Amino acid sequence: MDNLIIGSHVSFNKNEQLLGSVKEAISYKSTTFMFYTGAPQNTNRSELDDKLIEEANKLMIDNNIDKSKVIVHAPYIINLANDGKSYDFAINFLKQEISRCSRLGIKNIVLHPGSHVGLGIQKGLDNIVFALKEVLKEDKGVNILLETMAGKGSELGTTTDQLKYIIDNVNSDNLCVCLDTCHLNDSGIDINEFDKYIEDFDKKIGISKIKCIHVNDSLNPISSHKDRHANIGFGTIGYDALIKVIYNPLFKDIPKILETPYVTKDDTSKEKIYPPYKYEIEMIRKKVFNPDMIKQIRKE
Ligand code: FE
Ligand code: FE
Ligand code: ZN
């Protein structure tokens, strides 16, 4: 067995909570996973059940899932870059999410830095810095991982320099980074030259800040600023480039998370119904691209 730390986005429902997420991850033969503590598009959150957390912990130990590598994703409606009327709410909600992570025993929460929505890049970055300082004032033992963004609309965190500005000015050991291969591609980084990107990142920020990688193919060409994910090997980045990222020895100890789309019933259908993760993880472990993967998923 290899020691690859790989998993996918999984659901977190009211009834089974973390236990349900672990079960789903195991069904894909994952060694890690990522979840939202409720719906990603809203901030309704249910009360956590300690007994379910305990059962989930046991199940993780029995299945060699290292809980310290499991990831939470903050809801994507939180926007720390714009200090308009939802700014205080966003700051407070993120504080609560961190308390929830701490209660669940999760060490890392991925966050989209935010969109300035007309305020301009500099003001947007300064809003993010102010908000993160406030959120990280109290050390709860949870890291915030800023995600590299595609540059859709007025998204920030789309360049290494922007991330560096935020990280340098917040100046907290608990502020780290999550790379996303689809977002990097769409922002203008050639994943075939990932080593070059990492070298520059290391000079500016330091690779020890990288705590997670979202591994996604992209539906769109480099620099498209679109952010639409594709299944591994079925997009413009391609299987070989993504496999090189996944097996890069520099990132051996950090979790790789798939956020690839569910597969539709057939080519004409728009309804995404089948999770691809069991198949993609198998294809990654074998290190051979399976061009029939989508067909096989539809057949099962
Ligand atoms: Fe994300
Ligand atoms: Fe992502
Ligand atoms: Zn994305």
Side-chain angles (χ1 to χ4, degrees):
M1 252 261 310
D2 56 49
N3 294 312
L4 195 60
I5 308 170
I6 190 146
S8 69
H9 159 77
V10 297
S11 58
F12 179 94
N13 63 52
K14 241 185 168 157
N15 299 323
E16 279 203 300
Q17 302 188 356
L18 187 61
L19 181 62
S21 307
V22 178
K23 285 180 182 171
E24 187 181 341
I26 292 168
S27 79
Y28 304 144
K29 297 203 162 61
S30 299
T31 47
T32 192
F33 60 95
M34 178 178 84
F35 63 99
Y36 291 84
T37 64
Q41 68 277 20
N42 70 42
T43 51
N44 307 324
R45 295 295 180 262
S46 45
E47 192 52 51
L48 294 170
D49 181 331
D50 285 321
K51 208 173 150 267
L52 289 170
I53 297 172
E54 228 174 89
E55 282 180 57
N57 288 344
K58 263 194 217 123
L59 195 58
M60 278 186 264
I61 291 168
D62 291 345
N63 286 277
N64 288 316
I65 294 177
D66 177 355
K67 195 180 185 181
S68 72
K69 305 284 162 92
V70 172
I71 307 284
V72 160
H73 199 307
Y76 45 73
I77 52 154
I78 293 190
N79 183 9
L80 302 183
N82 190 291
D83 56 351
K85 65 175 186 311
S86 320
Y87 191 52
D88 290 342
F89 175 82
I91 291 171
N92 283 319
F93 186 78
L94 191 53
K95 283 186 187 167
Q96 288 168 37
E97 277 288 88
I98 284 175
S99 297
R100 262 189 291 274
C101 284
S102 164
R103 171 106 182 266
L104 286 161
I106 303 293
K107 298 241 167 308
N108 295 298
I109 178 165
V110 169
L111 174 75
H112 295 180
S115 300
H116 65 72
V117 210
L119 296 180
I121 292 172
Q122 191 54 50
K123 180 76 173 100
L125 291 173
D126 287 332
N127 284 338
I128 295 169
V129 168
F130 178 88
L132 288 175
K133 271 189 165 162
E134 177 62 31
V135 171
L136 290 170
K137 216 162 50 187
E138 211 184 316
D139 184 358
K140 292 232 155 118
V142 177
N143 299 321
I144 293 179
L145 316 188
L146 295 174
E147 184 164 354
T148 60
M149 301 309 288
K152 197 170 69 179
S154 61
E155 270 174 4
L156 296 171
T158 57
T159 64
T160 305
D161 289 321
Q162 287 179 2
L163 292 172
K164 178 180 168 55
Y165 181 86
I166 299 168
I167 288 167
D168 286 352
N169 284 286
V170 174
N171 189 23
S172 162
D173 289 342
N174 293 319
L175 189 58
C176 305
V177 174
C178 169
L179 308 180
D180 184 309
T181 55
C182 168
H183 299 175
L184 286 174
N185 173 78
D186 291 14
S187 77
I189 301 295
D190 184 352
I191 301 299
N192 287 296
E193 294 187 35
F194 191 65
D195 290 347
K196 232 169 82 187
Y197 167 76
I198 292 301
E199 203 182 296
D200 178 66
F201 187 102
D202 194 36
K203 260 185 228 142
K204 289 173 175 162
I205 296 174
I207 54 164
S208 65
K209 283 283 191 187
I210 300 171
K211 301 285 188 203
C212 178
I213 303 181
H214 288 169
V215 183
N216 302 305
D217 214 323
S218 175
L219 278 180
N220 293 289
I222 187 166
S223 303
S224 57
H225 306 296
K226 284 276 187 8
D227 190 6
R228 291 189 62 208
H229 302 187
N231 292 105
I232 303 302
F234 292 86
T236 59
I237 300 173
Y239 182 81
D240 292 343
L242 292 171
I243 280 289
K244 270 178 77 184
V245 172
I246 293 167
Y247 286 99
N248 189 321
L250 287 175
F251 305 116
K252 183 170 93 5
D253 296 325
I254 72 156
K256 274 68 118 190
I257 302 288
L258 303 165
E259 300 173 299
T260 48
Y262 273 37
V263 170
T264 56
K265 201 167 154 216
D266 51 52
D267 279 333
T268 53
S269 162
K270 282 213 157 74
E271 220 191 323
K272 296 183 170 136
I273 46 177
Y274 306 120
Y277 308 120
K278 193 180 92 182
Y279 293 81
E280 286 180 324
I281 288 169
E282 192 189 314
M283 181 170 75
I284 287 164
R285 286 218 170 93
K286 282 188 174 155
K287 296 189 187 174
V288 185
F289 179 56
N290 173 11
D292 297 322
M293 186 189 82
I294 307 272
K295 267 186 251 160
Q296 285 167 6
I297 293 173
R298 283 172 179 158
K299 247 197 244 151
E300 200 181 276

